[in-house]
Every structure is written in C-alpha cells, then in structure tokens.
Amino acid sequence: MKRKSQSTNKPGETKVKPVRNRTHKFIAGLLSAVIPGLGHIYLRLYMRGLTFMLLVLLDLSALLYFSTIGIQINVPLLILLALFIPMIYFYNVFDVLQSADWVMMRRRRAITHGNLDKQTPNERTVGEAMMAWEKGISFGLLLIVGGSLMILFFRKPRWFKELLAMYGGYTFAVLMIAGGLLLFGREIWVMLRKKKI
C-alpha cells in the first residue's frame, strides 16, 4: 500500500525554494570565463563586473596604443601590458567563484532568517570586507580615469605621445614606488593593529 505524502507546511508558512549553489557558481564561472566581468553581473555585483570589463578594455587599448606609436619604452611596456591580460582574466574567474560562495551564503541566510536586510551580529566577515569597496567613490573615480585614458589612447594627441616619451619611464617608476609604499604601510598598520588586539 502506498501512502500519500503529507505536507509538513503549516497553514501560515510558504514553501521555500532551495538555493542551488553549484549551479549558480558554475554559470557565474562560465560567464566570467567567456567575458571577464559578466559573471559578476550575473551575481548582481554590477560595479565589480564593470570594473573587470573596464580593466580589460583599458589594458587592450593601452596595448594597441603603445604598439602603434614608436617610442623607446615600447618593448618592456608591451610585455607588461600583455601579461596584465591573463592576470586580470584569471583573477576575474577566481574572484567570481569566491563571490558566488559569498552571494549564495547571503541568500541562504536571508531565506533562513526571512529578511535579506536583517543582519546577524557577526555578519561583517571577509565577504563584507571584500564587497565594502563598492560603497565608496572608488568606482566613479575608476570610470573617470579609465575613460579619460581610453580617450587619450584612441585620439592619440601629439602632446600625450611627447609626454610619454619624455616622462613615461619616470612616471611608471614613481607609480611603482608609491604602490609599494602604500602596500608596505598597509601591512605595518595591520601588524600594529593585531598587536593592540
């Protein structure tokens, strides 16, 4: 004899559809592998996805610009720009897989707690810190600087070519030193903060 399956739902409860983590993670990874940033947009992380798209377009336009003008810093700069493309691409895929885990964990928490906006006391974890940069002005600044550089790369003004020929190597060296000092200062700050805690 077959028994009819009885529903365990109470009259006031709604049926909850389970969140399928692996499907969303696979689709997001596949989309990011096809077009960098598209997986982030699929996960509704729009600013992060557009950032990856902008970085790839900016790198490609810089690569095209420096390959068509004839200045002395061409070869090392072309190699560096060419190496940035796979670095951005693979970091994009890695980041979308990590972000998919975070987004699915957040959705599951919303289903179990019943409200996406309601935060639990210890919710600001690695996932929150990873997404915190989207709330500031950095995305707008990235769009302004990236768009300006793309205009300069495509318009190819003479003054920009002369400026790069005269000060391009020095500017790149100063940017690398400033980036190194920034990372060094951040590490020292983190170490001092850990000692206080």
Side-chain angles (χ1 to χ4, degrees), residues 4-116:
K4 288 183 180 177
S5 60
Q6 295 179 354
S7 176
T8 58
N9 288 348
K10 294 179 183 174
E13 290 182 2
T14 58
K15 197 170 187 179
V16 177
K17 187 177 167 184
V19 179
R20 292 185 286 168
N21 188 14
R22 290 187 180 188
T23 305
H24 291 293
K25 191 173 184 178
F26 175 75
I27 292 171
L30 184 66
L31 288 173
S32 278
V34 173
I35 298 173
L38 199 58
H40 290 91
I41 292 173
Y42 171 75
L43 293 173
R44 296 184 184 144
L45 301 171
Y46 301 111
M47 289 187 224
R48 188 167 277 217
L50 290 173
T51 301
F52 278 112
M53 287 180 178
L54 179 70
L55 286 175
V56 169
L57 287 174
L58 191 60
D59 191 33
L60 286 173
S61 60
L63 190 63
L64 289 172
Y65 175 78
F66 288 113
S67 65
T68 57
I69 63 170
I71 55 177
Q72 275 71 28
I73 60 169
N74 252 357
V75 177
L77 187 62
L78 288 177
I79 292 171
L80 183 67
L81 289 172
L83 288 175
F84 275 146
I85 293 173
M87 186 177 79
I88 294 169
Y89 178 81
F90 287 117
Y91 181 72
N92 160 59
V93 173
F94 167 77
D95 187 58
V96 81
L97 294 176
Q98 299 300 315
S99 299
D101 287 337
W102 183 81
V103 167
M104 292 305 120
M105 177 192 68
R106 183 107 164 123
R107 286 184 188 167
R108 273 199 206 105
R109 186 174 293 156
I111 288 172
T112 56
H113 287 80
N115 189 359
L116 183 61

Side-chain angles (χ1 to χ4, degrees), residues 167-183:
Y167 302 111
Y170 296 119
T171 305
F172 187 68
V174 167
L175 285 175
M176 287 183 66
I177 291 170
L181 287 173
L182 183 70
L183 291 174

